[in-house]
Amino acid sequence: MTTSKRPRLLDLYCKAGGASMGYHLAGFDVVGVDIEAQPHYPFTFHQADALQYLAQYGHEYDAIAASPPCHDHTTLASRAGVNGSGWLLEATLDALAAQPMPWIVENVMGAKMRRDVVLCGSMFGLRTYRHRQFAIDPRIPLLPPIPWHPAHTVRTSMKKRRRDFDAGMNISVTGDVNAWVGPACMGIDWMTGDELAQAIPPAYTHHLGAFLLDYLTDPEAVAA
C-alpha cells in the first residue's frame, strides 16, 4: 500500500494543519482534506467533503486521522447555538470502523466519543492547556504512554492576552486570538489567529503519531 519511504496518512477535517504537522514530524507523509480552502496548509491538500473523500480514496493510505467539527460539542454551543455539524463525529467514527487501516479521531472534551487518551499543552511545555481527547482504533492492542500532566497552577488569560502573556500567564487560544501566540502556546508559526483558534498543537499528534508509526512498522512489538 505504501508508495513512498514514509507511510501515508490521511488527515480528515485538517483545517490549517496543526494535527497534520505532528503526524508529519512523527514520520508520515500527510495529505489533508477539508471542505473549506486552507491556503496555509503545509502539505498536500484536497478541498473536498471528508467522508466522500474517505469513501473514494481512503484505501490508498496506511493510516487515517480525523478531527470532525467541534462547534456543536463545545461548552460554547449552549450559548452560541449549534451549527448542525455535530453529526459528523459519529458518522466519521462509523466510517473509520469499516476501514482496514488504523485510525485516530480527535475532538474537544465535550464530544461524546470514546476517550482513550487526553492530552494537554502543559504536558509538552506549551503556554496553553487546551485539553483534547482522542479515540484510537480498538484494533491497536495497546495505547501510547501518556506524558506527565503537570498541575494547572498557571492562570489563563482570555482578554488582555498580550499583557498577561508578558506577565507569565497562559493564553486561551480562542476567539480573536492573534498569531503571535502561535509559537509559545501552540508550537505553530504558520497560521493566522483565526486558524490557531481551530487548531491543536502538533505536539499532541507527534506523540500519538510516533506510537502509530511503531504499530505500522512492527505490530507485534507494540503488542508485546
Side-chain angles (χ1 to χ4, degrees), residues 118-212:
V118 173
L119 297 177
C120 167
S122 67
M123 296 173 167
F124 303 97
L126 299 172
R127 291 185 58 180
T128 192
Y129 291 130
R130 206 165 187 80
H131 293 89
R132 292 294 183 269
Q133 60 176 329
F134 296 82
I136 298 176
D137 189 335
R139 293 168 294 190
I140 299 177
L142 293 176
L143 297 178
I146 306 302
W148 177 61
H149 194 171
H152 290 185
T153 57
V154 180
R155 293 177 58 196
T156 294
S157 173
M158 300 182 66
K159 294 183 178 180
K160 297 180 180 180
R161 287 182 271 207
R162 188 81 201 200
R163 180 203 65 185
D164 293 340
F165 179 87
D166 292 340
M169 293 176 63
N170 278 4
I171 301 300
S172 175
V173 187
T174 56
D176 60 350
V177 68
N178 291 314
W180 59 266
V181 308
C185 297
M186 299 284 283
I188 291 172
D189 63 3
W190 69 91
M191 294 187 192
T192 66
D194 287 343
E195 290 168 341
L196 284 168
Q198 300 183 70
I200 66 169
Y204 296 7
T205 47
H206 188 180
H207 174 73
L208 297 177
F211 177 84
L212 181 59

Side-chain angles (χ1 to χ4, degrees), residues 12-13 15 34-35 50 66-74 83-89 92 106-108 111 198:
L12 303 173
Y13 316 98
K15 294 303 179 189
D34 201 276
I35 195 69
S67 297
C70 65
H71 181 279
D72 290 2
H73 307 295
T74 67
N83 67 4
S85 62
W87 66 275
L88 284 167
L89 175 58
T92 299
E106 173 270 334
N107 219 286
V108 295
Q198 300 183 70

